[in-house]
Amino acid sequence: MSGSSNVENLSPQIIRQVAKEVLDLANNPPEGVKVFPNEQDITDVQATIEGPGGTPYEGGQFKIKLSLGKDFPQTPPKGFFLTKIFHPNVAKNGEICVNTLKKDWKADLGLKHILLTIKCLLIYPNPESALNEEAGKLLLEQYDNYSERARMMTEIHAKSTTKTAPPKSEDTNCPSTSGMQSTSEGPMAKKHAGDKNAAEKKKKDKKRALRRL
């Protein structure tokens, strides 16, 4: 994780644009996200993301960092979790792997889109591009074990000491990216699959009962 600043490499226009966007996000943050402007280094964007309800990360406050490179916005920033987290798309050094910061990057996406994408990654992990292979394997093969590990890490490293309102179980504002929608094994998807199976079982049981009459 690089700690060097790229302010001197950015044009004054880009610096003004980033500063305005960061200030707007600090004053009007997306739900579940807080942005902290760094007046000393505008290329160092730090924020906290509230763990979404209905996921193993619920109740956690996760600090993240976006590092804007000298070619921003033509090239995407690098994203890191500063808070330890057990997640398929987060490496041990905190690096975040999501298509928005890779092949799907577009210069006009903006910081808000990135922050929402990272938040939604907590709802829809993508084991197909896992940086943490153990987490990716557990997510696909032993979801309960994955959930338990992720919840334990959240409890140890991300729990806030101050009480906040319970987060919503789903975020309908998730950006539509191929990375997040490519898996049906995320926490919320797993829950919905269980609900669907339970409903189908009830229908079958009801039919059997009617046949006996």
Side-chain angles (χ1 to χ4, degrees):
M1 197 185 308
S2 175
S4 60
S5 170
N6 285 300
V7 172
E8 65 274 12
N9 296 315
L10 297 176
S11 70
Q13 180 183 354
I14 296 299
I15 291 174
R16 285 195 296 270
Q17 177 184 323
V18 171
K20 182 181 183 303
E21 187 172 7
V22 169
L23 188 60
D24 287 346
L25 285 170
N27 292 331
N28 300 288
E31 186 174 347
V33 178
K34 290 182 180 179
V35 178
F36 305 98
N38 183 347
E39 296 179 2
Q40 304 298 321
D41 183 2
I42 200 67
T43 67
D44 175 56
V45 180
Q46 298 199 18
T48 59
I49 293 179
E50 185 177 343
T55 74
Y57 311 104
E58 181 175 351
Q61 297 289 330
F62 297 91
K63 294 180 181 178
I64 69 162
K65 168 191 176 83
L66 299 178
S67 295
L68 280 52
K70 62 181 181 179
D71 296 321
F72 181 85
Q74 300 310 313
T75 58
K78 289 188 175 183
F80 299 89
F81 269 85
L82 301 179
T83 302
K84 287 185 178 181
I85 184 173
F86 187 72
H87 191 288
N89 308 114
V90 182
K92 289 186 178 180
N93 70 341
E95 183 181 356
I96 301 168
C97 179
V98 65
N99 285 341
T100 300
L101 298 179
K102 305 284 185 183
K103 63 181 182 179
D104 292 343
W105 173 252
K106 295 177 183 177
D108 61 349
L109 285 180
L111 300 177
K112 180 179 179 179
H113 182 92
I114 298 171
L115 293 170
L116 285 174
T117 298
I118 294 172
K119 179 185 174 184
C120 291
L121 200 62
L122 298 180
I123 304 174
Y124 304 107
N126 181 15
E128 294 177 7
S129 60
L131 288 179
N132 184 328
E133 292 184 5
E134 182 186 11
K137 187 176 175 66
L138 284 176
L139 174 63
L140 289 172
E141 299 176 4
Q142 301 177 50
Y143 179 79
D144 289 342
N145 289 346
Y146 159 78
S147 181
E148 185 180 346
R149 285 279 298 278
R151 190 174 290 111
M152 181 178 67
M153 288 284 283
T154 299
E155 192 72 35
I156 294 171
H157 299 288
K159 284 287 185 171
S160 173
T161 55
T162 57
K163 292 185 178 180
T164 57
K168 290 185 177 180
S169 59
E170 287 188 68
D171 193 330
T172 55
N173 295 320
C174 283
S176 178
T177 68
S178 57
M180 283 185 290
Q181 301 301 333
S182 64
T183 175
S184 61
E185 296 292 338
M188 297 308 301
K190 198 80 176 180
K191 177 180 180 298
H192 295 327
D195 292 345
K196 186 178 179 182
N197 290 338
E200 288 176 354
K201 186 175 183 300
K202 283 183 181 179
K203 285 182 181 179
K204 288 179 181 177
D205 291 343
K206 188 175 182 181
K207 285 181 179 178
R208 288 196 194 100
L210 289 172
R211 287 196 194 105
R212 294 194 188 105
L213 295 176

